[in-house]
Amino acid sequence: MDGRDLVRSVRVIGSGRAARGVRAAWRRRRIDAVGLPRRGAERARVPGRVESAEPGPGGGVIRFSRSDLRITVTVNGAVFWGWDGVAPQPSYALAGSGPEPDPRAVLEPDKDGGWRVVAERVTVVVSRHGAVEVRTPGGVVLRRELPPRWWEPVGGGTARWMQRSEVAADARFFGLGGRASGPRLRDGSYRLWNTDPGGSFGPGDDPLYLTMPVQLVVADAGTHLMFYDTTWDGTVVLREGEEGAGSGHDRAGRCELRMDGGPLRCWVMVGPPARVLLTWASLTGAPALPPAWALGHQHARWGFGSEEEVRRIVAGYQERGLPLDAVHLDIDHYDDHRVFTVDRERFPKLPVLAEELRRDGIRLVSIVDPAVKAAPGDAVYDGGTAVDAFVRDASGRPVRGVVWAGESVYPDFTHPRVRDWWGGLYEERLEQGFAGFWHDMNEPVSFHAFGEPTLPRSARHALEGRGGDHREAHNVYGLCMARAGYEGLRELAPQERPFLFTRSGWAGMQRYGGTWSGDVATGWPGLRASLSLVLGLGLCGVPYSGPDVGGFDGSPSPELYLRWFQLGAYLPLFRTHASLRAGRREPWEFGPRVLEHARAALLERRRLLPYFVTLSHLARRTGAPYARPVWWNAPEDRALRDCEDAFLLGDSLLVAPVLDAGAERRVVRLPRGRWYDTATEQAYEGPGQVLVDAPLSRIPVFARAGAVLPVRGDDGLELETWAPAPGRTGGGLVVRDAGDGWDVPGIERYVARRQGARVVVTREGEDGTSEPAPPVRVRGTG
């Protein structure tokens, strides 16, 4: 902990906690000095030359002089390979045991002494020195992995390793979890270590709360997703390629991955983006389905302070005709910041308040932090001690950190018994009337350790019975906490879908819920970072996310707040939130003009709720994110690959938020086809750029010609249909959802056709017959 960290700690948490944090930091370093093995001399290793090959299900094992390479193509089209013969399991990312091998994949000799595995969608070619190429069935190289290198301690222990890769000169990199710069990842170094930045962050800050070794690479030749399945600390260095001009040579794009430990194993899946994300979801698990109310507007504040203040804010929304679906209570509703408690003086009748709000269609959501106050007599601490729940150091003593409640201990969520115990604690939250939960501070965080692990790297974890230390467990701590909460809620309230989102996580976290931006900085760069985070996370398989509208800290100008609010209205998680110091952030606090325009955005979100519900069900079935890059359906369009200031909402809408101060017009790049400005109904033809009005009252939103969208009408569900282009048809999907239960609704398919001057919408039955549609409103015929 250097001087800059100390100053930041004092600013964020106060001098008293900062002083305790300094002492805890020195304690952590002493623990690691004793508990971590000394690395000492190392021995470098490469695979060597190929010696033999042994066919097996889906591929086989190729033996080199110093390592073995296991390759398996699975029935869903994903390809696994692991060096030193490692298998796909154990893995925190995979759902269940993983897919079965594809019996049609064949291992056969290749030229120059190499081998190849041939499958329906992909060919994997292995050179005699251990380079691995991923090719399309037509033979085009999508990715080339150079022979890996390991550095092994001479005295034994965990090896660190490096993997260098090459991609096409025109390729673009996306993913790596939640990144504030992007969604396209430029040249630079990206750390794989979940980190609380210690205050508000902007586009230049890295790493953040949720990192993943997941890359999505888009090139002319095709799209592929690469996942390195190891949870250790690591660094990814990316360098985009460059195409030669004239007779010049192309310079390939490059990726260098360095990991401090863990197995060298990876998965790759190829195809169009929709197929890639479907394969990823089948591998790592279907996204959790939020209850319908969680797709509405949610309001949070660090510092509501009392039941009376909550009622005042809710009344303010109701009196002004502003839809509100949930209220989030932050740590100030706890008794002395202790988790699973309530401050009885300020919230004396919390269940009564929750019931009042529920009658008005508003749910209460509770923050849940992992740190437990280390105080005998505290019910959670005593219960955790009784089941030996807390992380211990190498000498067997519980590890302590400093968080809001003071000296705290941390549950070991990598132990099934601890997850069962923790999941049962949510019964207290349900009895208080809470309907949803947001996990915070679960990187995990201690106030002495911004940018560093809260727990000593030598701290011991169960790791599902395998045993290990915090170097391996750190990045999956938030994931395992989310699993504990989700599974506990499934058991405690089996009739309701759990609503849970988490600040930290890892690959596969979508199985348990979504995430949000964390403490994004207030400012125009923070607004841009909000969109980058949502799009990047969606491409890593986490479809439900959103920012703190307005930024976490500071005071946004009325214009900035409104533009952020308008963007948030089209993102999956629509939540206004602010820190204790930021003050009130309700729409009416920014004047009558902002209130008027914010009301319009809220009403539009309410009108589009059936569309968001449909997108949520499609995400669960297909893995496709709600918010998608504009190149989603046309990754071969290079201009779209570089577009970062707009996004598709499903397949039907294109949203172009205003991201610059003072802008009342903006350029929008449209994909191929006809698009309608939803405000003016003017038609534009893509691909290409258009200049459109973006007055303070709205942001540009376009509808695809032929789109059929489910919307909320005066008398229930309606279909909003945008006229197909002449000679073309269109359509859309609708999923009706009652709200919170587990009933599996069917998918309704609608087709829009021109019949003379009219546009007719019919429902396509499963047997191919046409059925009458709900009330239809046709637009774009003027």
Side-chain angles (χ1 to χ4, degrees), residues 333-506:
H333 86 279
Y334 281 135
D335 180 12
D336 194 28
H337 298 107
R338 293 179 297 124
V339 68
F340 298 115
T341 65
V342 175
D343 186 329
R344 300 293 180 180
E345 292 185 5
R346 293 181 295 136
F347 293 86
K349 297 180 180 180
L350 193 53
V352 175
L353 172 65
E355 182 57 31
E356 290 176 7
L357 296 179
R358 188 180 286 263
R359 286 198 296 268
D360 289 334
I362 302 169
R363 269 68 171 188
L364 268 186
V365 176
S366 172
I367 191 172
V368 177
D369 290 353
V372 175
K373 185 177 180 65
D378 178 272
V380 179
Y381 177 78
D382 291 345
T385 301
V387 298
D388 191 21
F390 303 121
V391 175
R392 296 178 179 271
D393 62 24
S395 64
R397 293 171 300 201
V399 174
R400 294 193 176 194
V402 179
V403 200
W404 296 113
E407 290 276 336
S408 301
V409 291
Y410 298 83
D412 181 9
F413 295 116
T414 70
H415 197 304
R417 183 188 68 246
V418 177
R419 290 197 295 268
D420 289 344
W421 163 73
W422 185 266
L425 298 177
Y426 288 77
E427 183 174 13
E428 180 273 342
R429 296 284 86 186
L430 295 176
E431 290 174 350
Q432 296 294 338
F434 289 107
F437 306 92
W438 52 299
H439 288 178
D440 200 1
M441 309 290 283
N442 59 341
E443 290 70 36
V445 171
S446 179
F447 291 142
H448 69 273
F450 294 130
E452 291 296 327
T454 292
L455 306 180
R457 290 178 181 264
S458 60
R460 306 302 299 169
H461 289 266
L463 291 169
E464 316 308 319
R466 293 180 288 112
D469 61 37
H470 196 63
R471 294 174 297 174
E472 184 177 359
H474 174 84
N475 279 338
V476 294
Y477 190 87
L479 171 75
C480 293
M481 180 186 177
R483 178 180 176 182
Y486 183 86
E487 292 178 348
L489 291 168
R490 285 294 309 268
E491 185 171 339
L492 293 167
Q495 302 306 315
E496 297 184 3
R497 301 199 294 262
F499 175 53
L500 185 153
F501 61 104
T502 174
R503 192 170 78 173
S504 182
W506 202 66

Side-chain angles (χ1 to χ4, degrees), residues 65-403:
S65 59
R66 301 183 189 92
S67 186
D68 294 340
L69 176 63
R70 181 189 304 273
I71 302 179
T72 304
V73 180
T74 62
V75 291
N76 65 358
V79 180
F80 168 83
W81 70 75
W83 286 97
D84 290 342
V86 297
Q89 292 287 2
S91 171
Y92 278 105
L94 302 191
S97 58
E100 295 294 319
D102 184 351
R104 299 169 297 175
V106 178
L107 175 67
E108 59 187 31
D110 196 46
K111 62 183 180 180
D112 298 328
W115 292 83
R116 64 183 179 186
V117 177
V118 180
E120 179 183 8
R121 299 179 187 171
V122 66
T123 299
V124 181
V125 178
V126 183
S127 77
R128 67 177 185 269
H129 291 293
V132 181
E133 289 185 350
V134 179
R135 300 180 181 178
T136 67
V140 178
V141 177
L142 295 177
R143 188 180 190 96
R144 185 170 190 264
E145 304 270 294
L146 302 178
R149 291 178 175 269
W150 294 266
W151 288 268
E152 300 170 333
V154 172
T158 301
R160 57 190 180 92
W161 52 267
M162 177 184 69
Q163 177 68 70
R164 288 184 173 140
S165 312
E166 295 177 348
V167 296
D170 66 282
R172 296 290 183 261
F173 296 99
F174 301 86
L176 296 183
R179 306 287 168 170
S181 59
R184 172 184 161 194
L185 300 176
R186 262 70 173 187
D187 294 359
S189 178
Y190 301 88
R191 191 178 178 193
L192 297 168
W193 188 253
N194 294 347
T195 304
D196 178 3
S200 299
F201 68 86
D205 293 310
D206 186 86
L208 298 176
Y209 316 96
L210 203 167
T211 67
M212 296 185 200
V214 179
Q215 300 175 24
L216 190 77
V217 183
V218 183
D220 287 356
T223 301
H224 72 272
L225 183 148
M226 194 77 179
F227 168 52
Y228 295 94
D229 193 357
T230 177
T231 66
W232 287 64
D233 194 356
T235 302
V236 179
V237 178
L238 300 178
R239 293 286 182 270
E240 290 184 347
E242 184 176 355
E243 292 180 296
S247 60
H249 295 286
D250 289 352
R251 177 171 60 82
R254 291 179 171 84
C255 168
E256 179 181 287
L257 175 64
R258 291 179 178 265
M259 301 299 296
D260 285 353
L264 203 176
R265 59 183 179 185
C266 57
W267 290 86
V268 65
M269 43 221 75
V270 303
R275 177 187 291 172
V276 167
L277 268 293
L278 174 62
T279 305
W280 177 245
S282 69
L283 185 70
T284 61
L289 188 66
W293 59 263
L295 296 169
H297 174 51
Q298 306 179 51
H299 183 59
R301 189 206 296 167
W302 179 15
F304 272 123
S306 67
E307 292 181 7
E308 290 73 20
E309 178 68 2
V310 172
R311 288 189 175 93
R312 188 187 73 81
I313 295 301
V314 170
Y317 272 90
Q318 294 171 334
E319 292 166 2
R320 294 169 176 85
L322 304 176
L324 180 64
D325 296 273
V327 171
H328 296 210
L329 298 188
D330 211 317
I331 54 174
D332 51 294
H333 86 279
Y334 281 135
D335 180 12
D336 194 28
H337 298 107
R338 293 179 297 124
V339 68
F340 298 115
T341 65
V342 175
D343 186 329
R344 300 293 180 180
E345 292 185 5
R346 293 181 295 136
F347 293 86
K349 297 180 180 180
L350 193 53
V352 175
L353 172 65
E355 182 57 31
E356 290 176 7
L357 296 179
R358 188 180 286 263
R359 286 198 296 268
D360 289 334
I362 302 169
R363 269 68 171 188
L364 268 186
V365 176
S366 172
I367 191 172
V368 177
D369 290 353
V372 175
K373 185 177 180 65
D378 178 272
V380 179
Y381 177 78
D382 291 345
T385 301
V387 298
D388 191 21
F390 303 121
V391 175
R392 296 178 179 271
D393 62 24
S395 64
R397 293 171 300 201
V399 174
R400 294 193 176 194
V402 179
V403 200

Side-chain angles (χ1 to χ4, degrees), residues 564-648:
W564 216 319
F565 199 93
Q566 290 167 334
L567 168 62
Y570 292 95
L571 295 178
L573 172 59
F574 182 20
R575 182 175 96 141
T576 46
H577 182 45
S579 75
L580 190 65
R581 292 178 296 275
R584 294 172 177 169
R585 288 275 189 85
E586 290 73 38
W588 56 87
E589 300 290 346
F590 293 87
R593 190 180 183 194
V594 169
L595 173 61
E596 175 188 357
H597 300 328
R599 180 186 294 111
L602 280 171
L603 293 176
E604 179 65 5
R605 174 63 173 235
R606 180 57 58 93
R607 192 180 75 90
L608 288 174
L609 272 181
Y611 186 51
F612 275 93
V613 167
T614 295
L615 292 178
S616 71
H617 280 272
L618 295 179
R620 181 164 180 81
R621 298 181 191 212
T622 69
Y626 310 20
R628 309 165 185 177
V630 291
W631 49 258
W632 177 260
N633 294 308
E636 71 283 355
D637 188 327
R638 295 190 179 189
L640 291 181
R641 291 207 295 261
D642 294 338
C643 178
E644 301 178 279
D645 61 357
F647 63 97
L648 298 175

Side-chain angles (χ1 to χ4, degrees), residues 16-84:
R17 289 194 181 97
R20 291 196 296 273
V22 171
R23 292 193 295 271
W26 284 110
R27 184 168 62 222
R28 175 176 57 83
R29 292 185 179 182
R30 288 197 303 270
I31 291 172
D32 277 346
V34 174
L36 283 178
R38 297 183 182 276
R39 181 163 290 273
E42 295 179 321
R43 180 185 298 111
R45 175 167 64 92
V46 295
R49 292 178 65 91
V50 67
E51 295 184 340
S52 63
E54 179 183 332
V61 176
I62 303 172
R63 305 193 187 281
F64 295 80
S65 59
R66 301 183 189 92
S67 186
D68 294 340
L69 176 63
R70 181 189 304 273
I71 302 179
T72 304
V73 180
T74 62
V75 291
N76 65 358
V79 180
F80 168 83
W81 70 75
W83 286 97
D84 290 342

Side-chain angles (χ1 to χ4, degrees), residues 702-717:
F702 295 82
R704 189 188 301 273
V708 179
L709 287 83
V711 298
R712 193 172 191 169
D714 294 336
D715 298 318
L717 181 73

